[in-house]
Every structure is written in structure tokens, then in C-alpha cells.
Amino acid sequence: MGTDSKYYREIITKLERFIRKEHIHIILSGIQLMLVVAVASFTFFTFIEWIANLNSAFRTILLFLFLLLSISALGFLVLLPLFRYFKLFRKETYFEVAKRAGKFFPSLKDNLLNAMQLVTEKTSGNLYSINLVDAAFKNVYRSSKGIKFESAVKFDKARKILPYFVGLMVVSVLLLLIVPGMLSAANRLVNFNKEFVQPPKFIFEVNPGNTEITRGDDILITASVIGEPPKEVFFVLKKEDEADFNHQKINTDSTGRYSLHLSSVRNSFKYFASSEEIKSELFEVTVINRPLIDNLELSIIPPSYSKIPKTIQKDNGNVTALIGSKVEINLSSTKNLTKAFLEFNDSTITELSMIDNIASGFFTVRKDNSYKIKLVDVNDNSNSSPITYIIKALYDSYPVIELLAPNKNLPLGNDNRLTLLARVADDYGFSKLTLKYRLSASRYEPLQTEYSSIEIPLEDLKKEIEVNYIWNLTPLYLAVDDVVTYYLEIFDNDFISGPKSTKTNSYTVR
């Protein structure tokens, strides 16, 4: 039989390669078209959901139509060509394939079709000799030996579809991301079996929400509208001892907010904002009895050297005192306490001792500072917004000394005595006055680098005095042209920061 000819089988193999490449082209085009159908239908149905905000039943129908279109496109445009690629469900004959292939190769077309026609007509009852059929296919084989039929398939259709597919994808994604509500509509469409509440025309943003206030405090309740402004807004309140909610109509202020100011609140209450059947969350203001300072007494005890008497302040926590002063605090609270402490601005803490509602303690003034008194009651409630008290530290000044006479270099008298007259002053008194001296020039003795000291007694301890002292230099055994350098140094009595001293100018005696 002619179909047993090896030349016939070679031609069929060439045509089969042509058919397979055609189907690959069809499959690639079909995948793109199927995705176009899926994306376009999903975007279209999402747009319908965005416009109509449908219920679950209608969204189910839309999703079913989307799946039907997508699956149908998948089957017709992708799966069917794939089956035909594997020779399933093929209806066309090799003669029809040869006619398509022959259009691309005119030099082969007639011989190829004539040869294929011999085989086709043989099956319909017209008999040709095997030698004739074999010779025909041999002639076609020789003519097409260097030709690949599948080279005629160029994938032009797939390339033309690709820009439309990419464009549709970009447009669909932009619609979902840019158009307000489209992404939510897509989510509702995917979750077709859920019921979604239509978003309200506006929502309330209410402050302070749930909060606690101290009994007797004022409170400001505000509401801002996000969305389309309503015509009327009500604050709806119910105190803990009332059965029903009370409505209060509120007008906007200059900032566009709705505000309600309540003075001297005594009882806890619940509240929410309402308008056009749209309500905010239900909030609660809880009124608590926070601990308050009922009585405050400060005893300020300056350092003993200052001789300043103790002072007592009532209901005033501000302190102005000399550095080193001890400040004793005694207070009573409106409630029994579990904790009380002083919180300073430099982050230090001073705990107070407690008995029931009484707290006491002390601190020492070291520098300018400030502090708050923090209280915690047995219900773990703390005093809110405690007062900040100021600590002003007073600094002890340096003592002042002036050598009145002699206030220049002098020769030593024959009696080896030098009369010194000095005036000293300090804001809180003195601890000692010293005469410092050394041998600074001599022909016979080694010079002294360290000063020797003589303490001059201070009989009057007033804040400002004059001191008259006769310095006998005889024990120094000075020789001719020996020079002694000297000065006076006064020390105050500040034992907190350490005694501070001041010196006079240095003078010489020869």
C-alpha cells in the first residue's frame, strides 16, 4: 500500500511537526485570550458590585458567571488545542493540513497536494498502483528534503494579542488601586457568601473616649465627622443613676467640631454621638475619688552656721532656701495612702513615710530644682496633674577682706613689729582669719617656697568687722636686706559646701 511507503511516512512526519507548532501557537494565543476574558469579566463584575453594592445572592451569581466564562475560555481556548496537540479530538485530515502548508511553499504545493490526493482518493474507492503512489511521495520527499514545514508558523497572532493583554492587566490593576472602593468591591465579590454592611456616609471620631476623671472635675467631649457632614448631631448621655439616655443637640464650633463641656462632674456616665441613625461607639466616663492633698506644711531649717531661724510654710510647696537647708514635709490626704513620694525634676525620688492619710519626709536643698508630690491611695488611684513646686537655692557668697593698713610694701621698724588693719565681711560669718608669710629674699638664709601661717583671733563674730593685729617679726631673726612676703586670708563658716576663703594682695616688709 502507498501508505506503507517510507517517503509517505516522512512527509506525514513533516506535516505532523507543522500541525504541532500550529497548536503550540494556538495554545499560547489561547492562554492570553483566556486571561483577557478572566481579567475583563472580573473587572466588569467588580465594577457592577462597586456601583450596586449587591447582596450575597447577587454576588454569588456574578461570581458563578465569572467562573463559567473563565472555565469555558480555558476549555475552548487552551485545553482543546492541547488535546489536539496530542492527536485527541482532531477532525482535519492530512490533506487539509497539506493544503495549509502548501500555501507557504508554492514550489511544493501542487506536487504535495497531488500526492496527498492519491492517498485520499484511494480511501474513497479510487485505486492507484502502489508504485505510482510511492513514486509521487518520493518526488515530494526529494523536493522538500531541505524544507521544514513548521518554519512557516511565526506566532504572529500571539504577539499581536500580548500588548492588549498587558494593557488590560495594567488598566484593571490601576482601577482596583486608584478608584476608591474598587478594591473593597473586589473583596466582596471574592467573598460572595458573606454579607457586608454598606459603609456609612460618615463616621464619628469622639474624644476623650473611655476615660477617668476626678470627682468635681470638668470634662470636654468632642466629636469630629469624617465623611459627609450631617445636618444635626446629638450627644447622648446616661448617668449611672439614670434609666434612660438623654439627647443633647450640639452645634459645631469654629474648628468644625462638635463640643460639649460638662462642669463639676459628680457621677460616672456613658455617652455616644448620634446622627441620622448613625452612632459612634459607646464610651464611659468613670468618676473616681483620687487622693488630694488636704493640708500641706513645710518646715525649712537652714544650716546652723547661717543662724537663720526655721520657717514654716502652710499650703505652699515652693522653697527658697540656702543650700544645705533641710526641708521637712508633712501632709494629709483626702484618702488613706499606700504610697507617697516626691518626684524631682532631675529624676530623683524621695519616698515619704505614711500612716493612714498622713505622709511625711524631708529633703535637702542642693541646687535649683522642682518637684511634685505623688500620692497613691488604697484603690491604686493616683493624684492627677500634681502641682509642680519650685526650689530656689540660695548660694553662700565668698567672704570679703580688705587690708587697710599697710596697703603697700614697707621697711621694718626697729621694734620688729608691723601693725595690720583689715576689714572682713561675709553674709553668714567667719570661721578663721590667717596671716600667711615666707622669706622671699635673703643674703644668708635659703628662700622659703611654702608659706607659714599665723591664725589671727576673731573676737567679734559679726558679719562685718575690722581687725587690728600687731605682727611681731622678732622670732624670724631677720637680717639686713631680708624680705618677707605676706598676705591675709579669711575663711567663712560654710561647712555645707566647705569653708570658702578670700585672700588680700601680697605685700613685703624689709
Side-chain angles (χ1 to χ4, degrees):
M1 295 178 61
T3 54
D4 295 330
S5 169
K6 69 174 184 177
Y7 301 111
Y8 171 78
R9 290 195 298 270
E10 288 293 336
I11 296 302
I12 293 302
T13 300
K14 285 178 173 287
L15 291 175
E16 188 64 35
R17 292 197 193 103
F18 176 78
I19 295 171
R20 284 175 176 255
K21 192 169 182 181
E22 273 192 329
H23 284 302
I24 291 174
H25 183 201
I26 294 171
I27 290 169
L28 292 177
S29 301
I31 290 173
Q32 295 183 80
L33 289 173
M34 181 272 294
L35 292 175
V36 167
V37 170
V39 172
S41 60
F42 185 80
T43 304
F44 177 70
F45 292 143
T46 299
F47 181 75
I48 293 176
E49 168 61 20
W50 178 67
I51 294 294
N53 198 11
L54 302 170
N55 59 28
S56 176
F58 281 103
R59 288 201 305 274
T60 302
I61 295 173
L62 290 182
L63 189 65
F64 175 77
L65 291 175
F66 163 70
L67 293 175
L68 181 62
L69 288 172
S70 299
I71 294 172
S72 298
L74 175 66
F76 182 75
L77 298 173
V78 180
L79 295 180
L80 184 57
L82 185 62
F83 290 147
R84 289 174 176 170
Y85 177 86
F86 292 105
K87 300 182 180 180
L88 299 174
F89 307 114
R90 280 193 195 173
K91 295 181 179 180
E92 62 182 355
T93 64
Y94 283 118
F95 180 78
E96 294 171 336
V97 176
K99 286 177 66 175
R100 285 204 309 276
K103 293 179 181 179
F104 298 100
F105 305 100
S107 61
L108 288 176
K109 179 178 180 182
D110 292 337
N111 291 336
L112 177 60
L113 291 179
N114 290 334
M116 292 301 298
Q117 191 172 19
L118 293 176
V119 179
T120 303
E121 291 182 359
K122 177 178 179 294
T123 61
S124 60
N126 296 320
L127 299 177
Y128 295 95
S129 69
I130 295 174
N131 292 332
L132 178 62
V133 173
D134 190 54
F137 277 102
K138 183 177 181 180
N139 182 43
V140 174
Y141 174 74
R142 288 176 176 175
S143 301
S144 63
K145 190 173 183 179
I147 298 175
K148 295 181 179 180
F149 292 169
E150 65 272 19
S151 64
V153 182
K154 300 297 185 182
F155 295 97
D156 293 337
K157 183 178 180 181
R159 292 193 185 94
K160 290 179 180 178
I161 295 173
L162 183 60
Y164 296 100
F165 166 65
V166 173
L168 178 62
M169 286 293 296
V170 170
V171 170
S172 298
V173 171
L174 290 178
L175 285 174
L176 290 174
L177 296 179
I178 295 177
V179 178
M182 277 289 282
L183 200 58
S184 298
N187 178 61
R188 294 196 301 272
L189 185 62
V190 172
N191 296 280
F192 62 95
N193 57 340
K194 294 182 180 179
E195 290 293 349
F196 292 88
V197 178
Q198 185 174 359
K201 294 186 296 183
F202 56 85
I203 60 173
F204 289 107
E205 188 177 271
V206 180
N207 286 303
N210 295 314
T211 189
E212 292 181 344
I213 63 171
T214 304
R215 187 181 302 276
D217 281 355
D218 298 350
I219 186 171
L220 178 66
I221 301 173
T222 64
S224 300
V225 173
I226 301 175
E228 180 183 340
K231 294 180 179 179
E232 294 180 327
V233 171
F234 295 87
F235 276 129
V236 187
L237 298 85
K238 182 173 79 70
K239 296 180 181 178
E240 58 184 358
D241 56 353
E242 295 177 342
D244 299 320
F245 280 92
N246 297 311
H247 290 68
Q248 296 188 38
K249 184 178 178 181
I250 308 298
N251 296 318
T252 57
D253 58 20
S254 59
T255 64
R257 296 185 307 172
Y258 299 87
S259 303
L260 175 64
H261 183 268
L262 300 177
S263 303
S264 302
V265 179
R266 311 299 299 178
N267 298 305
S268 301
F269 63 91
K270 296 180 179 179
Y271 72 99
F272 61 90
S274 174
S275 178
E276 301 177 13
E277 299 184 354
I278 297 175
K279 300 178 181 179
S280 70
E281 294 180 48
L282 180 64
F283 301 103
E284 184 171 6
V285 174
T286 304
V287 176
I288 60 174
N289 290 320
R290 295 185 182 274
L292 301 174
I293 296 176
D294 188 42
N295 183 53
L296 175 64
E297 181 178 291
L298 269 62
S299 297
I300 303 175
I301 306 171
S304 58
Y305 78 84
S306 69
K307 298 181 176 59
I308 300 175
K310 178 177 75 172
T311 58
I312 296 177
Q313 296 180 183
K314 292 185 177 293
D315 299 324
N316 178 15
N318 296 313
V319 175
T320 300
L322 187 64
I323 288 180
S325 297
K326 179 180 179 180
V327 180
E328 296 179 347
I329 293 182
N330 293 279
L331 64 89
S332 61
S333 170
T334 55
K335 301 183 70 177
N336 288 345
L337 303 173
T338 57
K339 190 174 184 180
F341 58 94
L342 307 179
E343 183 180 83
F344 291 87
N345 186 52
D346 59 6
S347 301
T348 57
I349 299 292
T350 297
E351 299 285 346
L352 303 179
S353 59
M354 296 158 297
I355 300 177
D356 296 332
N357 68 326
I358 304 298
S360 61
F362 70 91
F363 66 89
T364 302
V365 177
R366 301 292 184 190
K367 60 183 179 180
D368 288 344
N369 210 340
S370 63
Y371 71 98
K372 298 176 182 178
I373 303 175
K374 296 291 189 74
L375 307 176
V376 181
D377 66 16
V378 292
N379 297 319
D380 206 31
N381 295 320
S382 60
N383 56 329
S384 62
S385 303
I387 299 173
T388 299
Y389 296 109
I390 304 301
I391 300 174
K392 176 63 177 176
L394 302 178
Y395 292 82
D396 187 352
S397 302
Y398 276 77
V400 176
I401 184 169
E402 180 183 5
L403 186 58
L404 301 176
N407 56 3
K408 60 184 179 179
N409 300 325
L410 292 176
L412 183 63
N414 294 330
D415 59 356
N416 287 336
R417 284 174 169 78
L418 182 65
T419 300
L420 303 175
L421 179 61
R423 180 184 293 117
V424 294
D426 186 68
D427 42 7
Y428 297 109
F430 319 100
S431 59
K432 65 178 179 178
L433 173 63
T434 59
L435 168 63
K436 299 290 182 72
Y437 65 91
R438 68 180 179 88
L439 184 63
S440 56
S442 177
R443 298 180 186 177
Y444 314 103
E445 297 292 334
L447 303 184
Q448 298 172 349
T449 57
E450 299 293 332
Y451 281 89
S452 299
S453 177
I454 299 174
E455 184 171 344
I456 299 175
L458 296 173
E459 296 180 357
D460 193 343
L461 298 181
K462 294 180 181 179
K463 295 181 179 180
E464 183 176 346
I465 59 174
E466 289 189 357
V467 180
N468 192 347
Y469 180 71
I470 298 175
W471 181 18
N472 184 6
L473 282 77
T474 301
L476 302 183
Y477 301 105
L478 300 176
V480 177
D481 292 331
D482 282 357
V483 177
V484 174
T485 300
Y486 69 94
Y487 65 87
L488 296 179
E489 184 174 12
I490 186 70
F491 294 83
D492 69 7
N493 57 0
D494 179 6
F495 62 83
I496 300 298
S497 304
K500 301 181 292 296
S501 68
T502 304
K503 302 174 183 178
T504 65
N505 293 329
S506 296
Y507 297 101
T508 62
V509 58
R510 180 187 295 271

